[in-house]
Amino acid sequence: MRILVANANTTEAITQACVAAARAAAAPGTQIIGATPGFGPAVISTRVENAIAAHALLATLAEHAGAVEAVVLAVSHDTALDAARQMMPCPVLGMTEAACLTACLLGGSFGVLTLGQARPYEELVARHGLAARCAEVVGLPLTPQQAIADPDGAAAQVLAAAEAMAARCDSVVLGGAALAGLAAGLQARSPVPLLDGIACAVTLAEAMVRMRLPKPRAGSYAAPQGREAIGLSPALAALLRG
Amino acid sequence: MRILVANANTTEAITQACVAAARAAAAPGTQIIGATPGFGPAVISTRVENAIAAHALLATLAEHAGAVEAVVLAVSHDTALDAARQMMPCPVLGMTEAACLTACLLGGSFGVLTLGQARPYEELVARHGLAARCAEVVGLPLTPQQAIADPDGAAAQVLAAAEAMAARCDSVVLGGAALAGLAAGLQARSPVPLLDGIACAVTLAEAMVRMRLPKPRAGSYAAPQGREAIGLSPALAALLRG
Amino acid sequence: MRILVANANTTEAITQACVAAARAAAAPGTQIIGATPGFGPAVISTRVENAIAAHALLATLAEHAGAVEAVVLAVSHDTALDAARQMMPCPVLGMTEAACLTACLLGGSFGVLTLGQARPYEELVARHGLAARCAEVVGLPLTPQQAIADPDGAAAQVLAAAEAMAARCDSVVLGGAALAGLAAGLQARSPVPLLDGIACAVTLAEAMVRMRLPKPRAGSYAAPQGREAIGLSPALAALLRG
Amino acid sequence: MRILVANANTTEAITQACVAAARAAAAPGTQIIGATPGFGPAVISTRVENAIAAHALLATLAEHAGAVEAVVLAVSHDTALDAARQMMPCPVLGMTEAACLTACLLGGSFGVLTLGQARPYEELVARHGLAARCAEVVGLPLTPQQAIADPDGAAAQVLAAAEAMAARCDSVVLGGAALAGLAAGLQARSPVPLLDGIACAVTLAEAMVRMRLPKPRAGSYAAPQGREAIGLSPALAALLRG
Amino acid sequence: MRILVANANTTEAITQACVAAARAAAAPGTQIIGATPGFGPAVISTRVENAIAAHALLATLAEHAGAVEAVVLAVSHDTALDAARQMMPCPVLGMTEAACLTACLLGGSFGVLTLGQARPYEELVARHGLAARCAEVVGLPLTPQQAIADPDGAAAQVLAAAEAMAARCDSVVLGGAALAGLAAGLQARSPVPLLDGIACAVTLAEAMVRMRLPKPRAGSYAAPQGREAIGLSPALAALLRG
Amino acid sequence: MRILVANANTTEAITQACVAAARAAAAPGTQIIGATPGFGPAVISTRVENAIAAHALLATLAEHAGAVEAVVLAVSHDTALDAARQMMPCPVLGMTEAACLTACLLGGSFGVLTLGQARPYEELVARHGLAARCAEVVGLPLTPQQAIADPDGAAAQVLAAAEAMAARCDSVVLGGAALAGLAAGLQARSPVPLLDGIACAVTLAEAMVRMRLPKPRAGSYAAPQGREAIGLSPALAALLRG
């Protein structure tokens, strides 16, 4: 099984880190293929960058349409998730949505823990229609740079937050690239399960491939047909024409 | 991997049908074990029977605690799902919740199609916190007996309903035992994917086992400890004592 | 008028305390009859116990069907409330729902004050469809044992909490058996009314009896008819057969 | 016990009809006192009239403050309900809210059946925070005049609507003065209970009086104190001064 | 263009302050006309006063129907807003709703900052159907008298609150007459825009006049026709007759 | 005042039509400037095209940053609205959101009428947080091509739909470019006001300019600062760098 792990920003190191995390989570026999957009923001941290990266991500995915059996969007904002699902002939999973749905399968309410502002993740959970299952979103007062410079300090703060969140949450989704990979090391000490977006998305992607569900032929997730555009990459233009 | 497929009513034929469906969906290497409660309703179709069956189902699960790696509740009401999750040391999946979460992974909005009253499934979806993703619940004017007596007629009605629901739904969950197994045969002719509860639950159960997430040690999903009771089966009483 | 006050756990002392509270609240001429299940948890404090107790409670109620004019469920989780309403030929009231609806009749928003985790009561209020009227649920950091061992200390904590909750709540529902009976003594000192579940449920049960409303003959609250089961008590099996 | 049944419009015949309905529902020993405002709309059927009638109703209630033990607002819009609750020293019940809360005590979902536009009752139910319990609001294409001129025809339409609504509703609240009194005659033929606002409000008012709950001393339902105004009736001005 | 700025209470000084604020916000060529009710509360601060003021405000508006091109209700509770919209032949704007809708046009989530209890503004925002856009309502522990006596201290508290609210809010609506006029002076120092109800309402009223939208001829906002009443002012009675 | 009317697709004729509509709605002294993206879909009708057009639209807007006082997005999907608001130093309005907010200012509930699928507009209204004000979204069974080929037939269908929607809606927003311009001609015959997105957006944009509100300096709508990217247009890259 070939799964594309597609970064939405142009920083190759982030792609490589996500590919490594995906490989650690994948079943034997699953091949992980990384992809990095050819244009767009270095790291997405604003609404403007997220909107631009949607185009860049779709152009990247278009290069792989038909050549992979599933796609994992390696970006915690689940950038362009609905458009990618419409465009691609295979299942597409967003890492934050996948972690939230895994939390639902565990039962009860989940929390989301991230760095910086909580608000964008609250919006994301609501847009995914999962607000009723989400007890709280907590933003640690840390920048990604600080978290990467002092991983032990960041881990301690994450664990303390998870302990506090356990009063209301039956599991905690770790949101944001800077927290990726922390879950495994802290799992044994956390009172509730910690969910890593890449691990959840890759495992659920494998499940979706095995279910062999057809693509919708009607509605707004049916593949585009006969749509004209100018100035797009050949692969993207071809998918719009159908 | 051993997955328990636990019926919540006492009709052995339903257990066998669910086990067969589970085996058809399972990955190679997954062993499906069926279980039927020793007491309770023949077929659940009222609130009273559902409440009684919760106890019967928990008593049945208790016999298998520690001996299976995941549980699928083979009852479309997701009977006792939260209690089973708290009690068992392994992942527990409800067939209707699993199908709804699979629909979420496909993207967009889902519908639920069932026989008879729509209202109980609306309540179930709401209790699962997924009402925001559910565009409609449709109850076909058919009894389970009629559906089983005339499977071709039932299939035609399901297909017609799916075509109508595609105006608002990007996928359709088939709810209720009498519709189990219909999805595969109609998939190619339906405008949107049809989701079968047992197939979704078994495949997602395999994914959950592979994720190896720990059980919560805090909150209302942590295993019971030191709880006393009278008149329960030894296995159930033992799990309450912890 | 005969009102059954049915405990959902097997601790006879709790039944007696609830019966005494019910008698204090009842109108002259109302006869209060207590009942304790023959099996199940000693005290309900987990999801597993609540699910088991639902069966035990229904079996208990079945012994009294036709012999009482109303039922009050003397358990703050409103265990099996919907199933009991379907099964019994008379009105059935849950003590927490009754207190919440009394709060609605007082006007404005209510709060719920309990011992320990707030989350289960938040879920209960939401399942009753009353979340829009509930401003907050507060869990005091006290165990039931502590509250019973030091009633004056518990009363002081309840009063302090009610004073703080009055900033958002126009009345406060006391949830959980360990707080039962506190309302009357603190009423005069609390800035907003304190609502005791048993007192509210008994008084509203008397009102429901006087309204003489018929039982639904359609839908999921109509009495079961022709349902088969095995291993149930004769009275419970008889009600399922209709 | 003295209960004031206060009309919100100036049509004395409506007051008398409501008083008669209240007496039919009241317990022995309850004295029903009718009141009609001295100014305002003849019959409320617009937003403007409802706003004016709020003042008229409060002025009417003020004449009775301290002289009655409970108030029933005999107007299906529950006009000025929150203000009346703040102002009066005794429980105040609105007939539509009381019927909706009685429906909640019966269990499941309720519907509201009225004449003409459904929308205002949808807004009213939502403002009462009970939308989650209300499955639908149905407006029959009849004017109050037509319903009064042909009561048998109206009854037949109400019964037909109740039968259709039973597919989604476990009880039906009859909203609007023109349907008052119909419930009793149709009860035996309706598949689900029909709830009459005056009957529910009077019986619940009696229950509230028996509960002897204190008035809040804090928050927006505490009685006004030291408020100055000009041009109001002496009784109303006195209550504002406290 | 003539815009009526109608106070809902009888304190002429508040009318004059609102008229001055309106003139400061109005475009050249807009004429601001103030109006003060002839009866009712001096200052609205309870539910009772608000209900009475609704009648007083409608009577005041009725004197100006046809003589102005728009109405701004100069009362932060948006008293009688829906009734005024139905009654008047021109656009009617409430100052708090107008500020909230301006916040929506700025994008993201807004907060509301007021003096005293937050709860009434939470209810108001919910009744306007805008709760999904409102991140929080904060009530400063200040009375209007304190705010007016120490404007610099009040301004410092407002600024501090706005800085704290900026963690969740993209703009802040200042609610309540005592905060009127503060926005302009603090705007440059606040991290997010501060919205003044009178300024927003006047500017949006000018926009509504320019759009020349017709009044609805159907539904509950169509003008009253043929409604009879007693004891009302001639102008108000005339509008009810249509 | 200079207002940019920015199309999100590359069809110049649509830009010109929107510019003409904007000029018809603008106040004297307002200058309307049209803009068409240099790349992207000819006409947006899929999720994929909408995501691509977001980038194209932002690139177009970036060329005008600082040279206009407000922006109207001339695309009924309100494409990239939140990103454009963050990026631009001036107010940015979406035509559908502007029409919905105008409907709120009129009072009561609004409906949305469009061609084809209703679902995307339901999602859009929900994402704008306005679902509580929206009574229904109706999709006429017409393609844009059919509407343009037979404008009288389309107008008749729109009017018939508006008449039916008036049973639940106090105003109707016309969504989608093919219905643009119909409102004015049908206004006199419709029972409730018809709202045209371009007209509402231009008039409200003028109002926002006059309010002179500052841009947020904190939160996710503050302008990007120091963000790096590759392969973007110079103007867009410059705005990301701040």
Side-chain angles (χ1 to χ4, degrees), chain F residues 180-207:
Chain F
L182 277 181
L186 298 175
Q187 203 70 278
R189 279 180 287 157
S190 171
V192 290
L194 304 176
L195 298 172
D196 178 83
I198 291 287
C200 292
V202 166
T203 312
L204 291 179
E206 294 172 334

PDB file of all heavy atoms in Angstrom, chain F residues 180-207:
ATOM      1  N   ALA F 180     -27.617  37.568  -9.525  1.00  0.00           N
ATOM      2  CA  ALA F 180     -27.261  38.954  -9.259  1.00  0.00           C
ATOM      3  C   ALA F 180     -28.067  39.880 -10.172  1.00  0.00           C
ATOM      4  O   ALA F 180     -28.254  39.611 -11.351  1.00  0.00           O
ATOM      5  CB  ALA F 180     -25.765  39.168  -9.474  1.00  0.00           C
ATOM      6  N   GLY F 181     -28.550  40.937  -9.606  1.00  0.00           N
ATOM      7  CA  GLY F 181     -29.276  41.912 -10.391  1.00  0.00           C
ATOM      8  C   GLY F 181     -30.763  41.642 -10.486  1.00  0.00           C
ATOM      9  O   GLY F 181     -31.541  42.509 -10.883  1.00  0.00           O
ATOM     10  N   LEU F 182     -31.201  40.426 -10.078  1.00  0.00           N
ATOM     11  CA  LEU F 182     -32.626  40.129 -10.136  1.00  0.00           C
ATOM     12  C   LEU F 182     -33.408  40.846  -9.042  1.00  0.00           C
ATOM     13  O   LEU F 182     -34.604  41.111  -9.195  1.00  0.00           O
ATOM     14  CB  LEU F 182     -32.865  38.616  -9.991  1.00  0.00           C
ATOM     15  CG  LEU F 182     -32.731  37.765 -11.251  1.00  0.00           C
ATOM     16  CD1 LEU F 182     -33.035  36.313 -10.931  1.00  0.00           C
ATOM     17  CD2 LEU F 182     -33.687  38.269 -12.329  1.00  0.00           C
ATOM     18  N   ALA F 183     -32.750  41.124  -7.932  1.00  0.00           N
ATOM     19  CA  ALA F 183     -33.474  41.630  -6.769  1.00  0.00           C
ATOM     20  C   ALA F 183     -34.256  42.903  -7.089  1.00  0.00           C
ATOM     21  O   ALA F 183     -35.452  42.998  -6.782  1.00  0.00           O
ATOM     22  CB  ALA F 183     -32.498  41.886  -5.612  1.00  0.00           C
ATOM     23  N   ALA F 184     -33.592  43.851  -7.705  1.00  0.00           N
ATOM     24  CA  ALA F 184     -34.220  45.154  -7.915  1.00  0.00           C
ATOM     25  C   ALA F 184     -35.536  45.019  -8.680  1.00  0.00           C
ATOM     26  O   ALA F 184     -36.559  45.590  -8.296  1.00  0.00           O
ATOM     27  CB  ALA F 184     -33.250  46.081  -8.653  1.00  0.00           C
ATOM     28  N   GLY F 185     -35.532  44.226  -9.740  1.00  0.00           N
ATOM     29  CA  GLY F 185     -36.729  44.123 -10.567  1.00  0.00           C
ATOM     30  C   GLY F 185     -37.883  43.398  -9.894  1.00  0.00           C
ATOM     31  O   GLY F 185     -39.048  43.646 -10.217  1.00  0.00           O
ATOM     32  N   LEU F 186     -37.577  42.509  -8.950  1.00  0.00           N
ATOM     33  CA  LEU F 186     -38.633  41.704  -8.319  1.00  0.00           C
ATOM     34  C   LEU F 186     -39.070  42.261  -6.968  1.00  0.00           C
ATOM     35  O   LEU F 186     -40.065  41.799  -6.408  1.00  0.00           O
ATOM     36  CB  LEU F 186     -38.139  40.262  -8.119  1.00  0.00           C
ATOM     37  CG  LEU F 186     -37.778  39.506  -9.394  1.00  0.00           C
ATOM     38  CD1 LEU F 186     -37.188  38.149  -9.040  1.00  0.00           C
ATOM     39  CD2 LEU F 186     -39.013  39.337 -10.266  1.00  0.00           C
ATOM     40  N   GLN F 187     -38.326  43.226  -6.470  1.00  0.00           N
ATOM     41  CA  GLN F 187     -38.546  43.714  -5.107  1.00  0.00           C
ATOM     42  C   GLN F 187     -40.008  44.081  -4.860  1.00  0.00           C
ATOM     43  O   GLN F 187     -40.577  43.709  -3.822  1.00  0.00           O
ATOM     44  CB  GLN F 187     -37.651  44.950  -4.907  1.00  0.00           C
ATOM     45  CG  GLN F 187     -37.304  45.285  -3.502  1.00  0.00           C
ATOM     46  CD  GLN F 187     -36.335  44.268  -2.877  1.00  0.00           C
ATOM     47  OE1 GLN F 187     -36.755  43.217  -2.408  1.00  0.00           O
ATOM     48  NE2 GLN F 187     -35.058  44.566  -2.919  1.00  0.00           N
ATOM     49  N   ALA F 188     -40.632  44.764  -5.802  1.00  0.00           N
ATOM     50  CA  ALA F 188     -41.983  45.279  -5.563  1.00  0.00           C
ATOM     51  C   ALA F 188     -43.009  44.158  -5.509  1.00  0.00           C
ATOM     52  O   ALA F 188     -44.062  44.300  -4.892  1.00  0.00           O
ATOM     53  CB  ALA F 188     -42.360  46.276  -6.657  1.00  0.00           C
ATOM     54  N   ARG F 189     -42.697  43.032  -6.158  1.00  0.00           N
ATOM     55  CA  ARG F 189     -43.686  41.956  -6.186  1.00  0.00           C
ATOM     56  C   ARG F 189     -43.435  40.888  -5.122  1.00  0.00           C
ATOM     57  O   ARG F 189     -44.278  40.031  -4.896  1.00  0.00           O
ATOM     58  CB  ARG F 189     -43.678  41.302  -7.582  1.00  0.00           C
ATOM     59  CG  ARG F 189     -44.492  42.126  -8.596  1.00  0.00           C
ATOM     60  CD  ARG F 189     -44.477  41.458  -9.949  1.00  0.00           C
ATOM     61  NE  ARG F 189     -43.174  41.606 -10.591  1.00  0.00           N
ATOM     62  CZ  ARG F 189     -42.698  40.810 -11.536  1.00  0.00           C
ATOM     63  NH1 ARG F 189     -43.412  39.769 -11.948  1.00  0.00           N
ATOM     64  NH2 ARG F 189     -41.510  41.028 -12.077  1.00  0.00           N
ATOM     65  N   SER F 190     -42.274  40.941  -4.474  1.00  0.00           N
ATOM     66  CA  SER F 190     -41.960  39.909  -3.473  1.00  0.00           C
ATOM     67  C   SER F 190     -42.586  40.266  -2.124  1.00  0.00           C
ATOM     68  O   SER F 190     -42.577  41.424  -1.723  1.00  0.00           O
ATOM     69  CB  SER F 190     -40.439  39.806  -3.333  1.00  0.00           C
ATOM     70  OG  SER F 190     -40.122  38.985  -2.235  1.00  0.00           O
ATOM     71  N   PRO F 191     -43.101  39.278  -1.408  1.00  0.00           N
ATOM     72  CA  PRO F 191     -43.707  39.574  -0.100  1.00  0.00           C
ATOM     73  C   PRO F 191     -42.695  39.965   0.963  1.00  0.00           C
ATOM     74  O   PRO F 191     -43.049  40.590   1.950  1.00  0.00           O
ATOM     75  CB  PRO F 191     -44.402  38.260   0.274  1.00  0.00           C
ATOM     76  CG  PRO F 191     -43.718  37.209  -0.532  1.00  0.00           C
ATOM     77  CD  PRO F 191     -43.241  37.866  -1.789  1.00  0.00           C
ATOM     78  N   VAL F 192     -41.441  39.592   0.767  1.00  0.00           N
ATOM     79  CA  VAL F 192     -40.389  39.964   1.720  1.00  0.00           C
ATOM     80  C   VAL F 192     -39.215  40.540   0.928  1.00  0.00           C
ATOM     81  O   VAL F 192     -39.051  40.239  -0.260  1.00  0.00           O
ATOM     82  CB  VAL F 192     -39.910  38.739   2.556  1.00  0.00           C
ATOM     83  CG1 VAL F 192     -40.999  38.282   3.537  1.00  0.00           C
ATOM     84  CG2 VAL F 192     -39.472  37.598   1.670  1.00  0.00           C
ATOM     85  N   PRO F 193     -38.375  41.354   1.564  1.00  0.00           N
ATOM     86  CA  PRO F 193     -37.262  41.973   0.834  1.00  0.00           C
ATOM     87  C   PRO F 193     -36.312  40.932   0.243  1.00  0.00           C
ATOM     88  O   PRO F 193     -36.032  39.902   0.867  1.00  0.00           O
ATOM     89  CB  PRO F 193     -36.545  42.794   1.911  1.00  0.00           C
ATOM     90  CG  PRO F 193     -37.528  42.986   3.007  1.00  0.00           C
ATOM     91  CD  PRO F 193     -38.454  41.810   2.966  1.00  0.00           C
ATOM     92  N   LEU F 194     -35.810  41.226  -0.959  1.00  0.00           N
ATOM     93  CA  LEU F 194     -34.798  40.396  -1.617  1.00  0.00           C
ATOM     94  C   LEU F 194     -33.475  41.121  -1.490  1.00  0.00           C
ATOM     95  O   LEU F 194     -33.383  42.315  -1.775  1.00  0.00           O
ATOM     96  CB  LEU F 194     -35.162  40.204  -3.086  1.00  0.00           C
ATOM     97  CG  LEU F 194     -36.548  39.605  -3.355  1.00  0.00           C
ATOM     98  CD1 LEU F 194     -36.827  39.546  -4.858  1.00  0.00           C
ATOM     99  CD2 LEU F 194     -36.655  38.221  -2.736  1.00  0.00           C
ATOM    100  N   LEU F 195     -32.442  40.387  -1.102  1.00  0.00           N
ATOM    101  CA  LEU F 195     -31.158  41.028  -0.830  1.00  0.00           C
ATOM    102  C   LEU F 195     -30.120  40.591  -1.846  1.00  0.00           C
ATOM    103  O   LEU F 195     -29.855  39.398  -2.010  1.00  0.00           O
ATOM    104  CB  LEU F 195     -30.713  40.678   0.595  1.00  0.00           C
ATOM    105  CG  LEU F 195     -31.683  41.176   1.662  1.00  0.00           C
ATOM    106  CD1 LEU F 195     -31.311  40.633   3.026  1.00  0.00           C
ATOM    107  CD2 LEU F 195     -31.690  42.695   1.685  1.00  0.00           C
ATOM    108  N   ASP F 196     -29.517  41.571  -2.490  1.00  0.00           N
ATOM    109  CA  ASP F 196     -28.495  41.339  -3.502  1.00  0.00           C
ATOM    110  C   ASP F 196     -27.120  41.515  -2.862  1.00  0.00           C
ATOM    111  O   ASP F 196     -26.834  42.555  -2.256  1.00  0.00           O
ATOM    112  CB  ASP F 196     -28.694  42.358  -4.636  1.00  0.00           C
ATOM    113  CG  ASP F 196     -27.638  42.211  -5.699  1.00  0.00           C
ATOM    114  OD1 ASP F 196     -27.797  41.344  -6.578  1.00  0.00           O
ATOM    115  OD2 ASP F 196     -26.630  42.956  -5.643  1.00  0.00           O
ATOM    116  N   GLY F 197     -26.275  40.517  -3.013  1.00  0.00           N
ATOM    117  CA  GLY F 197     -24.990  40.521  -2.335  1.00  0.00           C
ATOM    118  C   GLY F 197     -24.112  41.705  -2.686  1.00  0.00           C
ATOM    119  O   GLY F 197     -23.504  42.324  -1.798  1.00  0.00           O
ATOM    120  N   ILE F 198     -23.993  42.029  -3.950  1.00  0.00           N
ATOM    121  CA  ILE F 198     -23.112  43.149  -4.330  1.00  0.00           C
ATOM    122  C   ILE F 198     -23.628  44.465  -3.771  1.00  0.00           C
ATOM    123  O   ILE F 198     -22.867  45.260  -3.198  1.00  0.00           O
ATOM    124  CB  ILE F 198     -22.991  43.229  -5.880  1.00  0.00           C
ATOM    125  CG1 ILE F 198     -22.199  42.036  -6.420  1.00  0.00           C
ATOM    126  CG2 ILE F 198     -22.345  44.545  -6.305  1.00  0.00           C
ATOM    127  CD1 ILE F 198     -20.704  42.085  -6.160  1.00  0.00           C
ATOM    128  N   ALA F 199     -24.932  44.684  -3.889  1.00  0.00           N
ATOM    129  CA  ALA F 199     -25.485  45.948  -3.386  1.00  0.00           C
ATOM    130  C   ALA F 199     -25.282  46.066  -1.881  1.00  0.00           C
ATOM    131  O   ALA F 199     -24.879  47.122  -1.374  1.00  0.00           O
ATOM    132  CB  ALA F 199     -26.977  46.044  -3.743  1.00  0.00           C
ATOM    133  N   CYS F 200     -25.562  44.988  -1.153  1.00  0.00           N
ATOM    134  CA  CYS F 200     -25.366  45.031   0.309  1.00  0.00           C
ATOM    135  C   CYS F 200     -23.903  45.259   0.657  1.00  0.00           C
ATOM    136  O   CYS F 200     -23.577  46.061   1.541  1.00  0.00           O
ATOM    137  CB  CYS F 200     -25.839  43.713   0.942  1.00  0.00           C
ATOM    138  SG  CYS F 200     -27.637  43.454   0.846  1.00  0.00           S
ATOM    139  N   ALA F 201     -23.009  44.538  -0.039  1.00  0.00           N
ATOM    140  CA  ALA F 201     -21.590  44.619   0.304  1.00  0.00           C
ATOM    141  C   ALA F 201     -21.033  46.011   0.023  1.00  0.00           C
ATOM    142  O   ALA F 201     -20.246  46.552   0.813  1.00  0.00           O
ATOM    143  CB  ALA F 201     -20.805  43.550  -0.450  1.00  0.00           C
ATOM    144  N   VAL F 202     -21.408  46.602  -1.085  1.00  0.00           N
ATOM    145  CA  VAL F 202     -20.882  47.926  -1.403  1.00  0.00           C
ATOM    146  C   VAL F 202     -21.383  48.953  -0.397  1.00  0.00           C
ATOM    147  O   VAL F 202     -20.605  49.766   0.127  1.00  0.00           O
ATOM    148  CB  VAL F 202     -21.262  48.325  -2.848  1.00  0.00           C
ATOM    149  CG1 VAL F 202     -21.023  49.814  -3.081  1.00  0.00           C
ATOM    150  CG2 VAL F 202     -20.467  47.491  -3.841  1.00  0.00           C
ATOM    151  N   THR F 203     -22.659  48.912  -0.077  1.00  0.00           N
ATOM    152  CA  THR F 203     -23.202  49.908   0.848  1.00  0.00           C
ATOM    153  C   THR F 203     -22.609  49.735   2.244  1.00  0.00           C
ATOM    154  O   THR F 203     -22.264  50.716   2.921  1.00  0.00           O
ATOM    155  CB  THR F 203     -24.738  49.814   0.894  1.00  0.00           C
ATOM    156  OG1 THR F 203     -25.234  49.770  -0.443  1.00  0.00           O
ATOM    157  CG2 THR F 203     -25.336  51.010   1.607  1.00  0.00           C
ATOM    158  N   LEU F 204     -22.484  48.493   2.688  1.00  0.00           N
ATOM    159  CA  LEU F 204     -21.874  48.272   4.003  1.00  0.00           C
ATOM    160  C   LEU F 204     -20.382  48.602   3.990  1.00  0.00           C
ATOM    161  O   LEU F 204     -19.825  49.038   5.006  1.00  0.00           O
ATOM    162  CB  LEU F 204     -22.106  46.832   4.479  1.00  0.00           C
ATOM    163  CG  LEU F 204     -23.565  46.495   4.838  1.00  0.00           C
ATOM    164  CD1 LEU F 204     -23.680  45.040   5.276  1.00  0.00           C
ATOM    165  CD2 LEU F 204     -24.092  47.412   5.937  1.00  0.00           C
ATOM    166  N   ALA F 205     -19.722  48.400   2.862  1.00  0.00           N
ATOM    167  CA  ALA F 205     -18.304  48.775   2.768  1.00  0.00           C
ATOM    168  C   ALA F 205     -18.150  50.283   2.951  1.00  0.00           C
ATOM    169  O   ALA F 205     -17.241  50.752   3.660  1.00  0.00           O
ATOM    170  CB  ALA F 205     -17.731  48.330   1.418  1.00  0.00           C
ATOM    171  N   GLU F 206     -19.018  51.036   2.323  1.00  0.00           N
ATOM    172  CA  GLU F 206     -18.977  52.491   2.532  1.00  0.00           C
ATOM    173  C   GLU F 206     -19.165  52.838   4.007  1.00  0.00           C
ATOM    174  O   GLU F 206     -18.478  53.715   4.550  1.00  0.00           O
ATOM    175  CB  GLU F 206     -20.067  53.161   1.688  1.00  0.00           C
ATOM    176  CG  GLU F 206     -19.825  53.027   0.187  1.00  0.00           C
ATOM    177  CD  GLU F 206     -20.995  53.510  -0.651  1.00  0.00           C
ATOM    178  OE1 GLU F 206     -22.146  53.496  -0.156  1.00  0.00           O
ATOM    179  OE2 GLU F 206     -20.772  53.892  -1.814  1.00  0.00           O
ATOM    180  N   ALA F 207     -20.075  52.130   4.653  1.00  0.00           N
ATOM    181  CA  ALA F 207     -20.300  52.383   6.089  1.00  0.00           C
ATOM    182  C   ALA F 207     -19.053  52.051   6.905  1.00  0.00           C
ATOM    183  O   ALA F 207     -18.663  52.809   7.802  1.00  0.00           O
ATOM    184  CB  ALA F 207     -21.501  51.576   6.582  1.00  0.00           C
TER     185      ALA F 207
END
